[in-house]
Amino acid sequence: TPRFFDDPMNRVGDVYSAVDYMTTRSDVDTGQIGILGICAGGGFAVKAASIDHRIKAVGTVSAVNVGDATRYGWEGKGSETDILGTIEALGKQRIAEANGAEPVYVPYVPKLGDITAPRDLQEAANYYLTPPNQHPNAQNKMLMNGLGAWIGFDAFDLVKNLLIQPISIIAGNEAGSLWHSQKLYEKASGQKELHIIDNASHMDFYHKPQFVDLAVEKLSQFFDKNLKQAKNIEEDTKKD
């Protein structure tokens, strides 16, 4: 306690633990472990794969680097100095809580009907805060103090030199988050592919069959090809 603390590196740690578990199973070929991340999960997947090379191929859909989104805004139009006021407020809140004040929480997505929010986030609110996707344990809040970890996090900082695995990146051309995928593609120095899908927003890949099916088709081909290649490379290395 208090609950609802969200540190991005804890999410990355969950990926390591998932891979750990998979290596204990006799029905898993540990030479063909891939990872797929959606939205913020795309950023966490990339960060994890940059450090954990047991992951042999990486796919992202509507990827978001939550550190960049926090520092520069959802659509990437801000600057780091814009966050100075938030940093000041975080310091004051930590002092207050250290001296017995109640925690303060902030939302992940805006309130329903907030037309001032970017389109992606309005659609995210509609998706997460209404049936059938709404869940009672997902209360759309995180500890304000957790924002410090978000400000300091960068999902893509190790990509250029450490992400040596093949990566497939999928995003919609109407997504306000598209700049994350483009930045990731630019940074990646290994085998990479970028699919920008016409007429698709960030959230369309969550639930609209025509976009979900297209992403699944491209990713299935990507993982089938690259995980088999990874297995062949591993076997050849053992022979040598």
Side-chain angles (χ1 to χ4, degrees):
T1 58
R3 304 293 185 182
F4 303 102
F5 175 69
D6 191 354
D7 184 334
M9 283 306 297
N10 288 344
R11 308 281 194 119
V12 176
D14 287 343
V15 175
Y16 303 151
S17 296
V19 177
D20 290 345
Y21 171 69
M22 293 175 73
T23 64
T24 69
R25 296 188 60 91
S26 61
D27 58 345
V28 171
D29 185 336
T30 57
Q32 297 192 72
I33 294 175
I35 188 169
L36 167 62
I38 302 170
C39 191
F44 303 141
V46 168
K47 184 75 165 185
S50 297
I51 301 169
D52 191 341
H53 290 179
R54 296 174 299 175
I55 300 169
K56 303 303 183 183
V58 183
T60 68
V61 178
S62 295
V64 170
N65 178 348
V66 295
D68 275 353
T70 305
R71 290 185 292 271
Y72 305 117
W74 181 261
E75 296 178 329
K77 297 177 180 178
S79 67
E80 284 188 346
T81 55
D82 294 339
I83 207 74
L84 288 173
T86 300
I87 291 174
E88 180 71 18
L90 285 171
K92 292 179 180 179
Q93 182 58 29
R94 292 186 71 90
I95 291 172
E97 290 185 28
N99 286 275
E102 290 296 314
V104 170
Y105 301 91
V106 294
Y108 285 96
V109 297
K111 293 180 180 180
L112 287 170
D114 181 359
I115 61 173
T116 66
R119 172 188 170 184
D120 290 346
L121 297 183
Q122 292 183 51
E123 292 180 355
N126 290 333
Y127 182 87
Y128 285 113
L129 303 182
T130 61
N133 305 301
Q134 187 179 31
H135 192 281
N137 290 344
Q139 299 181 27
N140 190 31
K141 68 178 185 179
M142 63 176 286
L143 277 172
M144 177 181 171
N145 285 341
L147 286 175
W150 285 42
I151 293 170
F153 178 75
D154 189 344
F156 302 158
D157 58 340
L158 304 177
V159 165
K160 182 177 180 180
N161 295 319
L162 299 187
L163 188 73
I164 61 175
Q165 306 94 315
I167 184 167
S168 180
I169 304 163
I170 299 175
N173 72 329
E174 295 183 4
S177 60
L178 174 60
W179 62 282
H180 294 274
S181 293
Q182 293 170 324
K183 183 176 182 178
L184 173 57
Y185 181 77
E186 182 179 347
K187 278 180 166 274
S189 56
Q191 182 182 332
K192 59 185 178 180
E193 57 186 48
L194 173 62
H195 303 283
I196 299 178
I197 309 303
D198 289 341
N199 304 314
S201 71
H202 179 92
M203 296 298 298
D204 283 342
F205 291 101
Y206 282 56
H207 64 114
K208 292 188 177 180
Q210 66 269 38
F211 298 115
V212 174
D213 291 348
L214 181 59
V216 169
E217 179 183 0
K218 291 184 179 298
L219 289 165
S220 295
Q221 294 171 355
F222 167 79
F223 282 119
D224 184 61
K225 173 185 174 182
N226 289 285
L227 293 180
K228 283 181 179 178
Q229 286 183 351
K231 181 62 175 177
N232 292 337
I233 292 171
E234 180 184 15
E235 290 176 347
D236 290 343
T237 302
K238 289 179 179 178
K239 290 176 183 178
D240 293 340

